[in-house]
Structures are given as structure tokens and as C-alpha cells.
Amino acid sequence: MEKLSRNSRVVAITKLLIESPNKIIGLNNFSELLNAAKSTISEDIVIVREILQKLEMGRVETISGAAGGIKFIPTIGYEKGQEFALELCELLKDDGRVIAGNFIYMTDLMYNPEIIGKAGVILSSYFKNVDVDYVITVETKGIPLAYEVARNLGVQLVIARRDTQVTEGPTVTINYVSGTSGRLQQMSLSKKSMKAFSKSIFIDDFMKGGGTAQGIKDLLKEFDSELVGIGVLLDNKEVEKKLVDKYVSIVEFKSVEKSAIIDIKPSKMFL
Amino acid sequence: MEKLSRNSRVVAITKLLIESPNKIIGLNNFSELLNAAKSTISEDIVIVREILQKLEMGRVETISGAAGGIKFIPTIGYEKGQEFALELCELLKDDGRVIAGNFIYMTDLMYNPEIIGKAGVILSSYFKNVDVDYVITVETKGIPLAYEVARNLGVQLVIARRDTQVTEGPTVTINYVSGTSGRLQQMSLSKKSMKAFSKSIFIDDFMKGGGTAQGIKDLLKEFDSELVGIGVLLDNKEVEKKLVDKYVSIVEFKSVEKSAIIDIKPSKMFL
């Protein structure tokens, strides 16, 4: 390939970094692809790093050593995060979201890539300095969000099933009481899903009593995996004493009364 | 903000385009954010478009008119796609993938963001000229892949559930015979999930007899939505006559015999 201009090289470097968040890319890769010396690539990277940082679009970190290179860490600026949380509050205030049983219909939001893309960056930014091997969720509504967080952190997603499946091989099953339905439920996970002595983050759509989070904690114990963080989109503050103590949310509300969500606001992350 | 260099502007434009695939971004947005004239931004865009196209990293399209602007369409080059399909074959050939009942364990692949990111671009590229409102899947293993395809096409994801949930409001339920288990199963979808007279693409992990795809077709009929495409990661060619006629896969195999996957290879998409 002929030589490319700096303008062209920084575009390609940006594209490659962004599509593989938290994965170390050696300078050799850029050097070969773009037919440029490593010293030239290093200068290109400075430009990419500076503008992304200036516009609060993410961080480019340098990892030194034999397996070194650079990696992209998605982040979102404080103001943009707050703006997004406020937008989310408005969307949740929409008429007709509170359905029979005082449940909140939020499936449309949880399956909207534009919304979940942003929510995923907020949660993965929060956990960016946590050493983590897996992002775990329980089917179904939290899966896209958990997937985004896993992608941003550069780790494997793990999904606990509510029933055992023939396609999963031998599984471990635990019982837990869901705060949403108040019923005894089951969670299963294939024995092949996780390596022992790992660290995991649990991501879900909704937190009420923390029953599901406690269930995940119990399930992870069976896999010798430590639960090192919990993140949810929406926190129901009605239950003050949760079964788990440390977690983070994007949006919170006080209660659901007479088909209305009371006192919905960005979580304390945005105070 | 002070004026930025062209190098810096093209990095920012690339970042914004890539994180919102298939969404039209007006030149005003770039102009305001980057404090540059629209004519300057237009020149920047030419640079971004040319290098992404040259390196087969995606297309930047211009949409004229009042609501015009530019949008990014993720694509993957033919050779890179083929290379990925071959890698996927190698991963699937791994010992221990065939589990009791001659099922193939592929959960680890379906929940691996690096793999699913690439598979998602291959499938969304295939459907890039199809007018589509929704990407639909049925829980659970195909969800990350369907999410990636929905994100790349810039549309909403819809997930059919195997059982009805209190948090979904009124639902429509249909029965279907799954090719994998051979059992009569149910699929439910919230009445709030889709607008009438829409077009949908079905994405799943695996195709055998096409029973699930036929079930999705029936379910979509109840929502006056037309099924305009089907894409799966892995196609089991053992069942020659599928219940649905048109679909695309990334990898295919002939059969599973004595705990081995026979004749696994990239699909005819890569011939």
C-alpha cells in the first residue's frame, strides 16, 4: 500500500481502537496495516488520545512491555452522563409505563441500542478500574446492557438461565427469591461458563430488594467467582434495605403510586 | 472552544459516526461541536469516507435534503469476513463442543463480544440494503448477536420470550415446534413491542429445521409485521428441507456424528 496521510492514519487508528474497547493493540498492527514507522504511529496516537480526551469521548492508555500497545477505554463526560440520565427520567415518566401490578414497562428502553449504548458506557466507566473477568446477568431484559458493559470492559459475558437447557451441558442451579415477583425462582449456569477464581460484575435492568443480586452472588460462589460490583439501570428506592449493600444505578425513584412513578431522578452518581 | 486541527476533527467525526451506526447526523452537529464551518466539515468527511472505504472498514453515506447529513454503515471486507468464518470453524471444531444428545455447546462464542461484534457486522452488511424497522430474536443465546445487528442497522431490538412475564403487560403467545428439541414450545411478545405494518429481520444462533424461524414468522403476523430476512451464525445442513426458504448463515456443517461436527465450513456467503 502507498503511504497514507496523517489525516487518514488517525481515522483508521480511531476506528480500530473504538471497535475493540479494552483490548491491547500492539503498535505493530497499526504499523503494518497503515504502512508507517512505529515512531510515526506513536505521533498519530498522541493526536487521537488528545482530542478524545478533550471532547470527553474516552481514554487511550499506553501499556508498556513486551505485550504492550495501546487500548481504548470508553468513558462519558460528567455532563453528558447527567444529561442522558435526565433524558432517561423523562422517557420513564411517559404515560402508560406503569402496568398492572405496579410494574414498570421498560422493555422498549432496555432493547434500544442508542439508549443501551450510552447506559453501557456509564456503567463500564464506573467499573473501569476494577479488575474483572466476567460480566454476568440473568435472562432476559438486562442482557443487551450487560453485553455493552462486557464489550466496553473487554471481557466475556455470562448469562444465567431461568431453566436448564439441553444445549448447555451440565449446569449448576440455585434457588432465590425475586424481589420483583416475590416468588421463589431458579437460576442455572452451565459448568463450562466460567473459570474458577475469577471476578465478576453483575449487571441488570432493575433493582428492588436485591434478591436477584443475592442469587447471583450465591450462584457465583458455586463457581468460585467473586462478585466485585453491581450495576443497574433503574433503582427502586421503596425497599430501603437491600439484600446487597454495594451497587450503582443510573436512575432511581421513590415508589410507584396510583400508576405514576414518584420522584424519579438521576442517581447519586450524578450528584 | 479554540479551532481544532483537521487531524483532531477527523478523529472526532470518526468516533461520532462509528458509535451511532445507520443514524443520520446533520453537519450542524459536527460544525457546532468542532467549531468549524460546514464547508470545512464537508472536506473532513471526504477524508474519513475515503480511508474507511479503502481499508474496508465501512461506508459513509451522504443523505441530502432538510433532514440530511451523513451516516456510517458498518461493513466488513470479503477477505476479512472469510477469515473470520474460518476462525469460527476452528473454534467450533474444538474438543468437547458436542455434548449429550449431539447438541453443540456454543454459548461461550455467542456471549463473546469480540466474536459477536464481527458476526454482527457480517450479518448487518448482508441486510444493509433491506428496509427494516426491527431485529427480532427469541431468548436467549441469539440476543447479543441480534443486538449487534440491530445496533448496526440503527433499529430497535425485539425479543420474544419463552414464557409470559408480569413486567411485559398484555402479550401475544403462539405455539411452535422447535427443531432443536423437537418439542412443542411457546413464544410470547408484549403487545407494546412493535408498531403495525413494520418489517423485521430474525437473527438467531442456530438453524436446524427452521421451526423457530417459522414460529417467529407466525408471531410477527399477529403484529402485522413482515419477515424480510433471516440470519444465523451456524446452519445445520442435516435437515435439507427447512420450514423457511430464505436465510443466510455464517458457518455451516453437514451433521454431528460420534461427538464430532462433520464437514464444518464457511457458508456459501463466502464462496
Side-chain angles (χ1 to χ4, degrees):
Chain A
M1 194 167 67
E2 82 275 32
K3 294 274 178 199
L4 295 169
S5 68
R6 167 145 288 157
N7 289 328
S8 297
R9 290 196 309 268
V10 293
V11 168
I13 291 170
T14 305
K15 169 73 163 65
L16 289 171
L17 279 174
I18 290 173
E19 72 183 7
S20 295
N22 251 299
K23 296 285 179 189
I24 299 170
I25 308 178
L27 294 203
N28 280 338
N29 293 56
F30 296 116
S31 188
E32 278 166 34
L33 178 75
L34 304 171
N35 187 25
K38 273 167 82 171
S39 55
T40 309
I41 296 291
S42 292
E43 289 165 22
D44 295 341
I45 289 167
V46 172
I47 293 168
V48 175
R49 174 186 291 129
E50 284 182 357
I51 185 68
L52 291 181
Q53 190 168 326
K54 187 185 200 103
L55 298 176
E56 298 187 314
M57 288 175 164
R59 271 184 9 212
V60 178
E61 288 191 355
T62 303
I63 288 87
S64 50
I70 56 167
K71 64 175 184 176
F72 173 68
I73 295 164
T75 62
I76 190 167
Y78 177 80
E79 274 174 36
K80 270 187 206 145
Q82 197 179 41
E83 198 181 294
F84 169 74
L86 285 166
E87 270 171 39
L88 206 51
C89 291
E90 287 308 311
L91 288 168
L92 284 161
K93 276 179 198 164
D94 265 4
D95 270 358
R97 287 225 170 258
V98 179
I99 58 178
N102 273 353
F103 294 111
I104 300 170
Y105 181 81
M106 50 192 283
T107 310
D108 56 332
L109 308 178
M110 296 308 300
Y111 298 168
N112 180 322
E114 268 189 290
I115 292 171
I116 293 308
K118 285 178 192 157
V121 176
I122 290 176
L123 292 179
S124 69
S125 295
Y126 185 85
F127 294 115
K128 68 179 180 291
N129 298 320
V130 180
D131 181 25
V132 55
D133 303 293
Y134 299 102
V135 169
I136 187 168
T137 192
V138 57
E139 56 186 355
T140 300
K141 281 213 293 293
I143 296 176
L145 181 59
Y147 175 78
E148 281 283 1
V149 175
R151 197 167 67 93
N152 290 344
L153 295 176
V155 301
Q156 176 81 17
L157 172 67
V158 172
I159 304 175
R161 307 287 297 248
R162 296 198 189 278
D163 46 11
T164 56
Q165 294 288 333
V166 287
T167 52
E168 298 280 325
T171 53
V172 174
T173 302
I174 61 122
N175 296 305
Y176 73 103
V177 180
S178 156
T180 308
S181 67
R183 286 182 318 196
L184 188 69
Q185 297 203 308
Q186 288 198 328
M187 256 191 246
S188 293
L189 196 54
S190 169
K191 291 205 76 167
K192 288 168 179 277
S193 334
M194 301 179 92
K195 293 198 175 87
F197 312 117
S198 65
K199 290 179 176 173
S200 302
I201 284 173
F202 169 51
I203 298 292
D204 210 357
D205 55 336
F206 193 82
M207 165 83 75
K208 194 177 174 187
T212 307
Q214 183 57 48
I216 287 283
K217 212 168 166 177
D218 292 344
L219 184 61
L220 287 175
K221 252 183 225 152
E222 299 296 323
F223 287 81
D224 290 319
S225 181
E226 188 190 345
L227 182 63
V228 293
I230 300 172
V232 299
L233 189 90
L234 184 59
D235 180 17
N236 181 347
K237 289 281 183 191
E238 201 166 352
V239 182
E240 278 173 45
K241 228 178 141 56
K242 316 276 189 192
L243 289 171
V244 288
D245 30 68
K246 270 168 100 180
Y247 67 96
V248 66
S249 67
I250 298 177
V251 165
E252 61 181 47
F253 66 95
K254 209 175 146 195
S255 58
V256 175
E257 280 164 38
K258 291 177 189 157
S259 297
I261 307 177
I262 308 295
D263 204 9
I264 185 159
K265 61 184 187 204
S267 76
K268 61 178 192 290
M269 204 201 273
F270 303 103
L271 281 188
Chain B
M1 193 167 68
E2 81 276 32
K3 293 274 178 198
L4 296 169
S5 68
R6 168 144 288 156
N7 288 329
S8 298
R9 289 196 309 270
V10 293
V11 168
I13 291 170
T14 305
K15 169 72 162 66
L16 289 171
L17 279 174
I18 290 173
E19 72 184 6
S20 296
N22 252 299
K23 297 286 178 189
I24 299 170
I25 307 177
L27 294 204
N28 280 337
N29 294 55
F30 297 116
S31 189
E32 279 167 32
L33 178 74
L34 304 172
N35 187 25
K38 274 167 82 170
S39 56
T40 309
I41 296 291
S42 291
E43 289 165 21
D44 295 340
I45 289 168
V46 172
I47 294 168
V48 174
R49 174 186 291 128
E50 284 182 358
I51 185 67
L52 292 181
Q53 190 167 325
K54 188 185 200 107
L55 298 175
E56 298 187 314
M57 287 175 163
R59 272 183 8 212
V60 177
E61 287 191 356
T62 303
I63 288 87
S64 50
I70 56 167
K71 64 176 183 176
F72 173 68
I73 296 165
T75 62
I76 190 167
Y78 176 81
E79 274 174 37
K80 270 186 208 145
Q82 197 178 41
E83 198 181 293
F84 168 74
L86 284 166
E87 270 171 39
L88 206 51
C89 291
E90 287 309 310
L91 288 168
L92 283 161
K93 276 179 198 163
D94 265 5
D95 269 359
R97 287 226 169 257
V98 178
I99 57 177
N102 273 353
F103 295 111
I104 300 169
Y105 181 81
M106 51 193 281
T107 309
D108 56 332
L109 309 178
M110 296 309 298
Y111 299 168
N112 180 322
E114 268 190 290
I115 291 170
I116 293 309
K118 285 179 191 156
V121 176
I122 291 175
L123 292 178
S124 69
S125 295
Y126 185 85
F127 294 116
K128 68 178 181 290
N129 298 319
V130 180
D131 181 25
V132 56
D133 303 292
Y134 299 103
V135 169
I136 188 168
T137 191
V138 57
E139 55 186 356
T140 301
K141 280 214 293 293
I143 296 176
L145 182 58
Y147 174 78
E148 281 283 0
V149 176
R151 197 167 68 93
N152 290 343
L153 295 175
V155 301
Q156 175 81 17
L157 172 66
V158 172
I159 304 174
R161 308 286 298 247
R162 296 198 189 279
D163 46 12
T164 57
Q165 295 287 333
V166 288
T167 52
E168 298 280 324
T171 53
V172 174
T173 301
I174 61 123
N175 296 304
Y176 73 102
V177 180
S178 155
T180 308
S181 68
R183 287 182 315 196
L184 189 68
Q185 297 202 309
Q186 288 198 328
M187 256 190 245
S188 293
L189 196 53
S190 168
K191 291 205 77 170
K192 288 168 178 277
S193 338
M194 301 179 91
K195 293 199 175 85
F197 312 117
S198 64
K199 289 179 177 173
S200 302
I201 284 173
F202 170 51
I203 298 293
D204 210 357
D205 54 335
F206 193 82
M207 165 83 76
K208 194 177 175 188
T212 307
Q214 183 57 47
I216 287 283
K217 211 169 167 177
D218 293 344
L219 185 62
L220 287 174
K221 253 185 223 152
E222 298 297 322
F223 287 80
D224 290 320
S225 180
E226 188 189 345
L227 182 63
V228 294
I230 300 171
V232 299
L233 189 90
L234 185 57
D235 181 16
N236 181 346
K237 289 282 182 191
E238 201 166 353
V239 183
E240 277 174 46
K241 227 177 144 54
K242 316 276 189 192
L243 289 171
V244 288
D245 30 70
K246 269 168 100 182
Y247 67 95
V248 68
S249 67
I250 297 176
V251 165
E252 61 180 46
F253 66 94
K254 209 175 145 195
S255 57
V256 175
E257 279 164 39
K258 292 178 191 157
S259 296
I261 306 176
I262 308 295
D263 204 10
I264 186 160
K265 62 184 186 203
S267 75
K268 62 179 191 292
M269 203 202 272
F270 303 103
L271 282 188

